[in-house]
């Protein structure tokens, strides 16, 4: 029997929309997540944003979705993404509850790494269904973010009865759910910030120093080196440590500190702190010999004195 040709079952145009989606806070994250949910068959219906940049992001990622006040977003949507800065989230939740904007049965999702669902307690008491879904990804505020969500880990916290719903939403956005207990959220977020945010600072400083040293294309020089270092670190952890600190080359480290103090004094404190941390880890894993560590730590102590 000949089968009737069918269209791609993954094509969102062929699926009925399951949830109406609203975004409160059109920063870099919210519109991208809503666009991903749209690809999964959900329907964005409202977005709120104040700045010109927010309006542009919403227009680029969610064309034809109306820009309305936050309370109106909640009035129109069954699933609401609260994508505002961490410090603004508690006040936003309280304000929405106090004005009666939160409806019973409404899925209320925040994307803060720092908070679990406890920050949504006031909304939960009003009948909302609380979810904390934090994408472990940096966002640009452009359509490329939607593609980057493929395979992205999400830190997920939710009541046990909503766990499957939370994980399903993450999977629909192309992500991989990783369960984080409420009490572990601040530590989880600190770990991500330590790795990702500080990495940007280190790379930017490194490129500035290379330019000062006369390197015409520091990005081209650093790309292969940092890519290999990151890959090695993810594969091997501390076994990937290399360089003068791990080897105990105190003279080289002293020269580094002197040059940094001369050309970029603002980088000295960070260099010394990271060098000490690297030395501690190299010592603990038997890579740095104790007799070499003494001279190295002496150099680092002298560096503090300037």
């Amino acid at each position: 029997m000949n089968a009737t040709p069918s269209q791609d079952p993954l094509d969102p145009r062929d699926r009925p929309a399951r949830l109406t989606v609203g975004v409160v806070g059109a920063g870099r994250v919210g519109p991208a997540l809503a666009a991903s949910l749209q690809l999964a068959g959900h329907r964005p219906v409202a977005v709120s944003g104040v700045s010109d940049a927010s309006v542009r992001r919403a227009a680029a990622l969610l064309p034809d979705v109306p820009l309305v006040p936050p309370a109106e977003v909640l009035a129109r949507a069954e699933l609401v993404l609260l994508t505002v800065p961490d410090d603004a989230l508690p006040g936003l939740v309280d304000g929405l509850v106090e004005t009666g904007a939160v409806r019973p049965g409404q899925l209320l999702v925040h994307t803060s790494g720092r908070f679990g669902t406890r920050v949504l307690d006031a909304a939960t008491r009003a009948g909302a269904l609380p979810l904390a879904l934090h994408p472990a990804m940096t966002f640009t505020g452009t359509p490329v973010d939607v593609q980057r969500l493929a395979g992205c880990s999400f830190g997920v916290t939710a009541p046990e009865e909503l766990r499957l719903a939370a994980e399903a939403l993450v999977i629909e956005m192309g992500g991989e759910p990783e369960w984080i207990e409420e009490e572990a959220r601040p530590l989880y977020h600190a770990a991500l910030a330590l790795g990702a945010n500080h990495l940007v600072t280190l790379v930017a400083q490194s490129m500035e120093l290379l330019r000062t040293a006369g390197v015409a294309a520091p990005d081209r020089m650093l790309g292969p080196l940092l890519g290999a270092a990151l890959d090695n670190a993810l594969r091997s952890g501390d076994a990937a440590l290399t360089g003068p600190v791990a080897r105990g080359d105190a003279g080289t480290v002293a020269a580094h500190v002197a040059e940094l103090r001369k050309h970029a004094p603002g980088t000295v404190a960070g260099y010394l702190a990271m060098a000490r941390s690297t030395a501690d880890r190299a010592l603990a894993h038997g890579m740095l010999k104790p007799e070499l560590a003494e001279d190295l730590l002496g150099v680092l102590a002298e560096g503090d004195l300037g």
Side-chain angles (χ1 to χ4, degrees):
M1 182 174 67
N2 294 328
T4 302
S6 61
Q7 293 178 306
D8 180 359
L10 297 180
D11 189 336
R13 294 170 299 182
D14 299 332
R15 299 192 219 121
R18 286 163 290 163
L19 290 172
T20 52
V21 178
V23 179
V24 176
R28 297 181 179 182
V29 179
L33 298 187
S36 296
L37 288 169
Q38 185 174 37
L39 290 175
H42 300 288
R43 182 165 61 93
V45 293
V47 59
S48 73
V50 177
S51 69
D52 291 341
S54 295
V55 173
R56 288 195 299 270
R57 277 190 290 266
L61 286 161
L62 301 171
D64 303 322
V65 175
L67 203 67
V68 300
E72 183 63 22
V73 173
L74 270 71
R76 299 187 184 191
E78 298 162 313
L79 165 63
V80 179
L81 302 172
L82 303 180
T83 52
V84 297
D86 289 359
D87 288 350
L89 182 59
L92 172 65
V93 174
D94 289 343
L96 292 172
V97 172
E98 289 170 5
T99 58
V102 177
R103 293 182 286 117
Q106 190 168 46
L107 282 165
L108 213 55
V109 178
H110 79 71
T111 59
S112 166
R114 168 185 166 192
F115 294 110
T117 57
R118 200 167 293 149
V119 72
L120 299 175
D121 277 353
T124 303
R125 289 192 293 271
L129 306 178
L131 304 176
L133 308 180
H134 174 252
M137 176 62 64
T138 58
F139 288 77
T140 64
T142 66
V144 72
D145 294 332
V146 179
Q147 301 171 17
R148 287 181 174 174
L149 286 173
C152 167
S153 290
F154 279 66
V156 177
T157 304
E160 187 61 33
E161 62 271 19
L162 294 177
R163 180 167 180 160
L164 290 179
E167 293 177 344
L169 286 172
V170 169
I171 291 169
E172 286 186 325
M173 288 185 282
E176 295 288 340
E178 186 72 40
W179 191 257
I180 308 294
E181 294 295 337
E182 179 83 29
E183 293 73 18
R185 293 289 291 205
L187 179 61
Y188 152 80
H189 196 229
L192 295 179
L194 183 66
N197 301 160
H198 297 174
L199 175 63
V200 174
T201 300
L202 290 172
V203 173
Q205 288 180 341
S206 183
M207 288 201 295
E208 288 174 356
L209 292 169
L210 287 172
R211 289 191 191 96
T212 302
V215 175
D219 54 341
R220 187 169 64 231
M221 177 175 284
L222 285 174
L225 173 64
L226 298 184
L230 177 60
D231 184 64
N232 290 341
L234 292 174
R235 290 174 183 272
S236 306
D238 288 301
L241 283 172
T242 185
V245 172
R247 292 192 298 267
D249 291 340
T252 299
V253 172
H256 287 178
V257 174
E259 287 300 300
L260 293 177
R261 200 172 295 285
K262 183 190 304 182
H263 296 287
T267 66
V268 173
Y271 179 95
L272 293 172
M274 291 302 297
R276 284 194 194 89
S277 184
T278 300
D280 288 344
R281 299 188 76 89
L283 263 173
H285 288 80
M287 303 171 67
L288 175 60
K289 298 178 181 177
E291 59 270 23
L292 296 177
E294 185 175 354
D295 288 342
L296 175 66
L297 294 175
V299 166
L300 296 176
E302 291 173 4
D304 271 333
L305 299 176

